[in-house]
Amino acid sequence: DAGVIQSPRHEVTEMGQEVTLRCKPISGHDYLFWYRQTMMRGLELLIYFNNNVPIDDSGMPEDRFSAKMPNASFSTLKIQPSEPRDSAVYFCASSFDNLGTDTQYFGPGTRLTVL
Amino acid sequence: ILNVEQSPQSLHVQEGDSTNFTCSFPSSNFYALHWYRWETAKSPEALFVMTLNGDEKKKGRISATLNTKEGYSYLYIKGSQPEDSATYLCALPGSARQLTFGSGTQLTVLP
């Protein structure tokens, strides 16, 4: 398996623009997680899905952020409108289960810069 | 919110030195602890999952111990090499099993 795939790897956009980040989890993994990495807050969970259904979105910072998982092999994280404070590295991860002992496999991340 | 603390925040060692750093967590309701290694410009990579008090895990020159009663885990690197330079993260599942990550220890091994 190619591992978790994310695109784009880098995104530079201007304030107010819509940004869409994409993720393909490892085949057979039922859980998909979106994280954001910043200097101030470290690695924080934004939202996660189980079998394509959002389970907990309490980490989503505000209504400008939305995430979808239309099928088992694809998820998107959308920011509309984007703001400079959204600049961060966004990681997608997937796992077979979520019992607390399951390893999460991370994608390479998308580095977002909002000017 | 689970409080996961790592120390030190950063560490510089000479090649060949052995080193260790700490992950501290609430000792009540412990379930599991994960260690991840995160190289710059790459994705976090799982090292160990630990569940039992007194557990010891080893992978090459890297090993980890766990004390759930006092709420800490140590990660040891024996004979550090420049390729060990990375940020080492620990993470614990909360009540709903989502992982809460510490802020990491950034290790730099100087040749």
Side-chain angles (χ1 to χ4, degrees), chain A residues 9-30:
Chain A
R9 294 292 306 275
H10 302 273
E11 176 81 30
V12 180
T13 190
E14 293 188 346
M15 183 173 66
Q17 296 298 305
E18 177 180 296
V19 175
T20 299
L21 312 181
R22 297 172 176 80
C23 175
K24 177 178 166 50
I26 292 173
S27 176
H29 282 190
D30 289 338

Side-chain angles (χ1 to χ4, degrees), chain A residues 9 33 35 37 42-43 45 48 56 58 89 91 98-109, chain B residues 31-34 36 38 41-46 49 51 89 93 96-103:
Chain A
R9 294 292 306 275
F33 306 83
Y35 290 91
Q37 166 71 18
L43 194 60
L45 178 67
Y48 79 96
D56 184 352
S58 60
V89 181
F91 285 99
N98 190 40
L99 299 176
T101 55
D102 296 275
T103 294
Q104 293 185 15
Y105 295 85
F106 284 76
Chain B
Y31 192 79
L33 182 143
H34 298 245
Y36 281 83
W38 188 6
K42 295 187 178 180
S43 51
E45 178 185 350
V49 180
T51 57
L89 296 166
R97 301 291 181 248
Q98 303 98 300
L99 291 181
T100 296
F101 284 82
S103 55

